Amino acid sequence: FKYSQTCRISIYAMTKLAKTLKYGAFSLGLILLIGLLIPEKIVIPVLGATKNDWNHNTFWYSPWGTSGVHKGIDIFGLKNTPVVAATSGMVIFSGVLGKGGNAIAILGPKWRIHYYAHLNQNNVAFGDFVNINTQIATLGDTGNAAGKQPHLHYSILSIIPIPWLATMESQGWKKMFFLSPHKKLL
């Protein structure tokens, strides 16, 4: 009797675990799908800047200062020019990162991270939700941009792998697998 009761309890526990995993996987899939379906509108993240304020040829540029490969664009302007959120999203980082200096990362629609670096002053904190065109910082020259013309280093990274954008380009001293960044802002 003890053995059959133990088996029934084990089967019951395994059935419950299987249902929990099934619903958990379904929920995760639904969350991913919803994130991909949210429309994404992107604006130039430096107030008053136009497409003429950056050189598209430097989107994939090596070397730049002490960086190996430059995956992003530099939008130049005057120090303390407002930097605005290029898209709506949640701030997942606001602080100091070595070469990036004062930096902000925002998780936006399509599970993309919008990265802003070399800021003079951050105006948002982790967990803040920002709307498109909301001022999040001011233009600066922090990190490895110290002593250079003030600018915003802006890049977009995808959390969800996009195989058709994959490249084997070199980053710094070793070959790694990277996604080519999105080249269009507007």
Side-chain angles (χ1 to χ4, degrees):
F1 176 76
K2 253 185 162 181
Y3 178 74
S4 74
Q5 186 178 8
T6 304
C7 283
R8 272 188 253 146
I9 292 171
S10 295
I11 291 170
Y12 175 76
M14 288 176 26
T15 305
K16 284 294 235 184
L17 178 63
K19 283 183 182 179
T20 302
L21 290 175
K22 181 173 98 176
Y23 291 121
F26 176 76
S27 298
L28 180 60
L30 188 60
I31 289 169
L32 286 172
L33 180 63
I34 289 169
L36 290 170
L37 293 176
I38 296 172
E40 180 181 57
K41 181 180 178 192
I42 300 176
V43 298
I44 298 171
V46 175
L47 198 63
T50 68
K51 291 180 181 181
N52 296 327
D53 292 316
W54 73 83
N55 180 347
H56 293 278
N57 294 329
T58 65
F59 200 88
W60 190 261
Y61 178 75
S62 175
W64 176 254
T66 58
S67 300
V69 174
H70 193 255
K71 292 186 177 189
I73 57 172
D74 288 331
I75 304 172
F76 296 90
L78 299 174
K79 193 169 189 171
N80 293 319
T81 299
V83 173
V84 298
T87 191
S88 297
M90 185 176 76
V91 177
I92 59 173
F93 178 82
S94 181
V96 179
L97 290 174
K99 292 180 182 181
N102 291 336
I104 294 173
I106 296 175
L107 178 61
K110 312 282 184 229
W111 297 106
R112 293 181 180 148
I113 297 173
H114 297 258
Y115 174 70
Y116 309 78
H118 308 308
L119 306 167
N120 191 45
Q121 179 180 341
N122 298 2
N123 297 349
V124 293
F126 173 81
D128 288 351
F129 185 82
V130 295
N131 290 314
I132 192 169
N133 278 321
T134 301
Q135 183 174 346
I136 59 171
T138 57
L139 201 68
D141 58 356
T142 59
N144 70 347
K148 297 181 176 118
Q149 182 180 352
H151 65 278
L152 167 70
H153 172 84
Y154 175 69
S155 59
I156 303 172
L157 305 110
S158 181
I159 294 176
I160 309 287
I162 307 172
W164 56 91
L165 292 178
T167 69
M168 292 298 291
E169 294 292 331
S170 172
Q171 170 122 347
W173 52 271
K174 60 183 179 177
K175 290 272 189 181
M176 295 182 76
F177 184 80
F178 287 99
L179 292 177
S180 296
H182 306 281
K183 293 186 179 184
K184 257 188 170 177
L185 282 181
L186 299 175

